[in-house]
Amino acid sequence: MNNIKDSDAHLSREGHEVHAHLKSIFEKMPNDVNLILFTRPEKNDIFNQAARKVIRSISQLAPKITLHEYDINHKEAKGLKPIYTPALFINPDRYNNIRWYGAPIGEETRTLLEALIMFGYGETRISPDSKKILEGINSFRNIKVFVSPTCPYCPQQAVNALKAAYERPDLISLEIIDIQANPELADKYSAQSVPRVYADEKLIALGAQPEELFMLSLEKMEQQTFFIPETDSKEVDADLVIIGGGPAGLTAGIYGARSGLNTVIIEKNILGGQLANTPIVENYPGINQIGGKALVDLLVTHALEYVKIFPGEEALEVISGDVIKVISSRRLFNARSVLFATGAEYRRLDVPGESRLSGHGVSYCSTCDGPLFKGKRALIVGGGDSAVTEALHLDNLGVDVTIVHRRDTLRAQKQLVLNLSTSGIPVIYSTEVNEIRGKDRVEEVELINKNTGVISAFRFDAVFISIGYNPVVALAIKSGIETTPEGYVKHDDHHRTNIPGIYSAGDVEGGYKQIVTAAGHGSEAALSIFEDLVNPYWKKEVL
Ligand code: NAP
């Protein structure tokens, strides 16, 4: 083995400075770091050579770092079971959940240095938010991070993964895979762009992420695009409290905050509302085509620049007064104004079998459940924009789709009807669903022709119900807000309800129920609220 002086001899002045700096960091490390490197001498490729060279030279910088090198056929490999070479293990006695397949060269040297410091100092320095997310993980995760020595973004993602595996060795294992050293593996995972992260063989992140987003993606097992930290405060004062984080609420948030109002949004379910479950949006101006969830991500990311969002929090009570009290499942909001942007929830058919088989073939969300029925038969119920959009989406996924509609014409937009006829998806007209049958899952659907009264049963594996939405008004009614005979929140042209300081916007008001109209009405409502708070109409009336 070379000694330190020998390894330093060829260095430039900058090289000496870097080595001196690293030595001073490594010297203070309280813990020993034990590196085990497996290589394959008979396959003395550049990656095996490079791994040996770089790891040797770094390990020689500090007595705390020890390096043991073995041939992959050595008996030591029997315990750790490296599959590819070079394979590096760090403190495998405690962390045999972490393995690195590749040479820590180029940009990847940074990852190795970060790892040595993490293990040597015995801390990951993750943020409290990341720690909380990791603590919430309660099942095994095997992470694969694909990296490349030429990728400057890769160390960030590899270090995120190292932090996760270091913090939760009980549940999280990690493989860092260099795509240049392991081209076959890269090919298998189509890892043509890096960094790319899989957890349990599922792609959960593309590109580098901030630490909290990485942890959240790992927890949720799908790529997350925004992170909203939790707040412990029991009481929050705001000029405007928006109930509902769909397009209307998010837009109102942006407009309210930009008018100077201290604005917060409470959302009990998923941000984006129905839009989050919309497969494809083709009529949002300026964007030819975008997935509903992707549009939600854009809206939420934009809104977060201005407002505080309280996700997973339900508004339970709204008590009007000079200060309007909004009592949520978590805290109290003292508001000068409140906007109901509670949207609408899907309508049910109310036929036998629907509730019992819900989640077992009966679905209200093709985006969520569609992929499960690839190659299978699905019936879509409805004749509006949702039914046709979802039928086209499922057809694209390879589901064998049929639509059943209770009238003899569809009510969906002309363009969608045109797309439908091009697709060749069959439509059964003037027919209703009588019953959905099946033991543990949907097996058969009984239909009745409204003109002839003929009843027939057909085999289906899934029933997607897309028959419109009912406005979510229970809290509004409980708060004393008047509704229209159709069940929507009653409001004037300024989106004012019958209670001073309380407003509405979006699908809860009825109307066209388009994303763009919801967003437009959200902006109108926020501007009205701003004007009214400056110059309250209810005070003028009193005078
Ligand atoms: P919708 O327009 O209200 O249509 C609901 C459909 O379900 C109608 O065809 C209706 O039949 C049928 N239906 C209602 N109750 C039924 C029952 N009990 N049994 C059988 N069929 C029943 O609802 P939607 O399609 O969900 O759309 C909601 C709103 O979102 C609309 O304003 C729509 O324009 C909008 N949206 C827009 C887009 C887009 O622009 N791309 C996409 C999705 C939704 P009838 O025709 O007999 O009433």
Side-chain angles (χ1 to χ4, degrees), residues 274 278-284 344 346-351 381-390 404-413 416 431-433 450 465-469 488 507 510-515 517:
Q274 301 157 44
T278 303
I280 294 286
V281 176
E282 291 182 331
N283 53 7
Y284 196 81
Y346 54 75
R347 204 175 276 155
R348 291 169 175 275
L349 271 177
D350 288 329
V351 295
V381 190
D385 290 337
S386 299
V388 176
T389 306
E390 306 214 345
V404 62
H405 180 37
R406 66 182 177 184
R407 287 182 198 269
D408 57 6
T409 47
L410 297 165
R411 76 154 67 195
Q413 297 162 28
L416 286 173
T431 300
E432 284 183 340
V433 173
K450 287 176 66 187
I465 299 169
S466 303
I467 58 168
Y469 297 86
Y488 297 100
D507 284 2
Y512 284 110
K513 302 196 190 96
Q514 299 293 301
I515 306 157
T517 52

Side-chain angles (χ1 to χ4, degrees), residues 54 59 61 90 119 144 205 228-229 308 311 327 330 400 524:
V54 172
S59 68
L61 293 175
I90 311 175
F119 282 78
K144 284 187 174 66
I228 303 173
K308 192 151 181 32
I327 301 165
R330 289 219 161 128
D400 181 0
E524 279 180 11

